[in-house]
Amino acid sequence: MLSKSSILAALTFASSALGEFCSTTCTTAEVPTGTPVAGDYDGYLRPQVHFSPPKGFMNDPNGLHRGDDGIWHLYYQYNPTDTVAGNQHWGHATSEDLYTWTNQPIALYPVNASSYIFTGSAVVDENNTSGFFPNQTNGVVAIYTIATYEPIQLQTQGIAYSRDGGYTFTPYDGNPVLDEGSPEFRDPKVIWYEDHWVMVVAFSQEFVMTIYTSKDLKEWTFASNFTRHGLLGEQYECPNLVRIPVDGEPGQYEWMMFVSINPGAPLGGSGSWYTLGDFDGYTFTPHTAEIHIPDWGKDAYAAQFFENTPGEAILINWASNWQYTNAVPTGPKEEFRSAMGQARRISIKEDPRLGPIAASEPYDMSPILGEELASDTFGNGSVVIDFADVYSNALMIEVNVTDLDVVAGSVNFTFLSPISGEYLTGGVLFNGNNDVWLDRSHIKGFEYPLFTGKLSTAQIIEDRFTMQVVFDRAIIETYIQGGLQASTSSFFPEEPLTILSVKAGGYGSGNVTTSVRVHALESTWRPQENSNGIVRGASVGNSTSRYDARQLSGGRFSR
Ligand SMILES: *[C@@H]1O[C@H](CO)[C@@H](O)[C@H](O)[C@H]1NC(C)=O
Ligand SMILES: *[C@@H]1O[C@H](CO)[C@@H](O)[C@H](O)[C@H]1NC(C)=O
Ligand SMILES: *[C@@H]1O[C@H](CO)[C@@H](O)[C@H](O)[C@H]1NC(C)=O
Ligand SMILES: *[C@@H]1O[C@H](CO)[C@@H](O)[C@H](O)[C@H]1NC(C)=O
Ligand SMILES: *[C@@H]1O[C@H](CO)[C@@H](O)[C@H](O)[C@H]1NC(C)=O
Ligand SMILES: *[C@@H]1O[C@H](CO)[C@@H](O)[C@H](O)[C@H]1NC(C)=O
Ligand SMILES: *[C@@H]1O[C@H](CO)[C@@H](O)[C@H](O)[C@H]1NC(C)=O
Ligand SMILES: *[C@@H]1O[C@H](CO)[C@@H](O)[C@H](O)[C@H]1NC(C)=O
Ligand SMILES: *[C@@H]1O[C@H](CO)[C@@H](O)[C@H](O)[C@H]1NC(C)=O
Ligand SMILES: *[C@@H]1O[C@H](CO)[C@@H](O)[C@H](O)[C@H]1NC(C)=O
């Protein structure tokens, strides 16, 4: 999906970037086919345990699924020719652990100069329901919005199939498969329900999430509308209808409708909410009118859940916000914008006051967990670490506070650059509400009126508080109370932040115990660098003829 201003940018590209007309696969010399875009993943704004595109601009995660060989596939809204939104393609990367990503060739291209491939999803058609996959069980079908601007703005849904497990796709010649004549009808998310496919798709400006069903992914039948629920914002986008397991109760689950809204989120710009309910294969019925905001940061949007993960619900957010995504620093040499949030495992947990809610926890971090840098337990006290020699400049912090028998005290963390003096800080105030906060306003690399500096939430707790923080050069995520609350925040320092302090105190009783542990995280990109420091991505075709993204800077759309 795209905001209106981005659509204008896309329109500009439609007329300038793609030339007159392309027959089946529309590309220019600047958009590589059949080979990954290469990228420089070294700069200090480049996250090391998160996905970011090799070059160019990225927004929504698309087509998330786990292949029948266990490989995780991440596609994403991708502008390969500029560092602002527009010229939308589906970029692609694969992973075995959801942290170490291998860049793959671009997976979906616009079919002609006046259409774009917007957000969508992908399914594994193991039973050949579509008929695209004789004699194979690993066929992948992508379902996405085709956005056209000529002669009028129209958004329809199309499909493309992949016979090589999701690497290359052929658009279906019967596209579009769903055309309601609407200019604002997008972001289809398809799941398998017992004996049929279910699509949830947004009539964005009518505030309707519509459910369609299909036997073959080609013919879709209207099932129901879920209309004007919760927080409208100015548009509904990127709906997900998903089964969420109940923590600690195997086989139990709740259905969730998850919606992204933009603009008009409570903190400004882009945000999301969900509601829990029942689903019978045709109609979603919320349990109550209540909605929940899953992330208290400003940089978690367009989340999509992975398909084909039986018994698990795992999502990835786009870690940015349309209010400022086109304006944030690209870094001195990287020429990329945006990162994805960390993969999160979602489960239903009991909040002490709210009851059942969807908790977010980091997906298993053991593949990236590096050296333990500190581990300490105290009442009042602090841990200070200079981690300038941690190559990744990425850390994981765990803080547990137990026997909280008084309403007093606080825990703070601060990441500081000793060179520029800028710092990122946050923590929790045990004041009864347990206000959890983050302050990015002392970071100097990006000033913008809409780039909110101070963020906070509150969490009712009993006598124990837990916080996990994942810090990765230019993105910070928090997980509070086993994931009852989570946040995603981007930040753009002028210099790397290399000193960490964690301070606890003011408890006013000798019973409170604070445990702090800090781990370095291992860079997932550095091992992929060649001798020139460039990550070239999956090895496909003839290496000597591989596209070199650095050519982009001399290309037609260089900035
Ligand atoms: C471009 O493709 C779209 C989507 O298939 C189609 O609606 C439109 O007519 C095509 N435009 C041209 C100029 O062929
Ligand atoms: C495939 O077929 C099996 C056996 O009928 C069924 O249990 C399963 O739900 C089907 N899955 C899909 C995605 O078609
Ligand atoms: C897959 O579907 C197509 C079209 O219905 C059919 O021709 C083909 O035989 C099917 N393959 C298998 C293995 O079922
Ligand atoms: C599918 O397998 C059957 C049986 O082995 C074979 O006869 C048929 O030619 C195969 N079809 C395709 C399209 O490979
Ligand atoms: C569902 O919502 C769409 C979009 O607003 C509307 O066109 C359609 O008539 C609705 N269908 C029903 C049965 O209400
Ligand atoms: C923290 O310090 C205060 C003031 O010195 C003291 O009253 C309190 O007992 C201490 N708390 C812990 C947990 O050590
Ligand atoms: C701290 O623990 C002691 C021993 O269990 C208890 O007597 C005291 O009341 C506790 N303090 C507070 C403030 O609860
Ligand atoms: C944490 O920061 C807050 C706000 O600056 C301050 O009031 C509090 O004393 C700090 N706590 C500790 C333990 O340093
Ligand atoms: C915090 O508590 C969790 C269990 O809730 C435990 O797994 C973790 O090791 C603890 N961390 C620290 C630093 O005590
Ligand atoms: C790869 O490219 C080199 C240099 O152009 C050429 O000599 C070689 O034959 C190519 N190999 C293949 C397998 O295409």
Side-chain angles (χ1 to χ4, degrees), residues 223-424:
S224 64
N225 277 345
F226 185 64
T227 305
R228 293 183 86 94
H229 189 90
L231 191 57
L232 302 187
E234 297 287 339
Q235 291 186 105
Y236 277 177
E237 297 191 315
C238 304
N240 283 256
L241 181 57
V242 58
R243 236 169 71 143
I244 308 291
V246 177
D247 183 55
E249 293 181 41
Q252 298 296 303
Y253 56 85
E254 297 274 350
W255 282 91
M256 171 197 268
M257 181 72 83
F258 189 107
V259 181
S260 287
I261 56 173
N262 177 74
L267 294 173
S270 319
S272 43
W273 57 257
Y274 68 85
T275 188
L276 301 176
D278 293 320
F279 181 61
D280 63 3
Y282 301 90
T283 303
F284 174 78
T285 310
H287 292 320
T288 65
E290 76 202 43
I291 59 167
H292 299 278
I293 307 259
D295 196 292
W296 60 276
K298 259 190 94 163
D299 299 289
Y301 191 62
Q304 189 174 96
F305 283 83
F306 280 90
E307 180 59 10
N308 203 25
T309 61
E312 288 188 306
I314 297 161
L315 66 67
I316 287 184
N317 288 295
W318 174 49
S320 193
N321 189 310
W322 285 112
Q323 275 190 336
Y324 43 74
T325 193
N326 285 323
V328 302
T330 59
K333 57 177 181 172
E334 296 100 328
E335 296 173 44
F336 81 102
R337 274 204 180 98
S338 291
M340 290 302 177
Q342 181 175 21
R344 290 178 176 173
R345 189 189 289 280
I346 311 299
S347 66
I348 304 294
K349 290 192 178 180
E350 212 45 44
D351 179 278
R353 188 172 290 172
L354 304 177
I357 65 160
S360 302
E361 291 171 281
Y363 193 77
D364 175 16
M365 291 181 68
S366 57
I368 52 166
L369 217 50
E371 188 190 348
E372 184 180 288
L373 302 178
S375 179
D376 207 350
T377 297
F378 41 73
N380 304 314
S382 64
V383 167
V384 179
I385 301 169
D386 181 339
F387 64 106
D389 61 353
V390 171
Y391 169 81
S392 65
N393 189 228
L395 299 180
M396 195 269 279
I397 309 170
E398 253 176 25
V399 177
N400 293 345
V401 184
T402 52
D403 295 317
L404 261 168
D405 51 11
V406 284
V407 178
S410 56
V411 179
N412 299 341
F413 59 82
T414 303
F415 295 89
L416 170 79
S417 162
I419 297 170
S420 61
E422 64 199 313
Y423 60 97
L424 175 71

Side-chain angles (χ1 to χ4, degrees), residues 192-213:
W192 177 252
Y193 182 90
E194 292 180 4
D195 62 352
H196 62 272
W197 300 105
V198 173
M199 177 197 294
V200 57
V201 55
F203 283 97
S204 295
Q205 299 185 359
E206 292 156 67
F207 306 104
V208 182
M209 273 82 75
T210 296
I211 293 170
Y212 294 86
T213 60

Side-chain angles (χ1 to χ4, degrees), residues 380-381 409-414 425-429 437 502-507:
N380 304 314
S410 56
V411 179
N412 299 341
F413 59 82
T414 303
T425 182
V428 56
L429 306 172
W437 58 283
V502 181
K503 287 188 186 158
Y507 295 127

Side-chain angles (χ1 to χ4, degrees), residues 123-129 191-197 215 307-308:
V123 295
V124 180
D125 185 12
E126 57 174 299
N127 296 328
N128 188 32
T129 63
I191 58 172
W192 177 252
Y193 182 90
E194 292 180 4
D195 62 352
H196 62 272
W197 300 105
K215 289 283 184 196
E307 180 59 10
N308 203 25

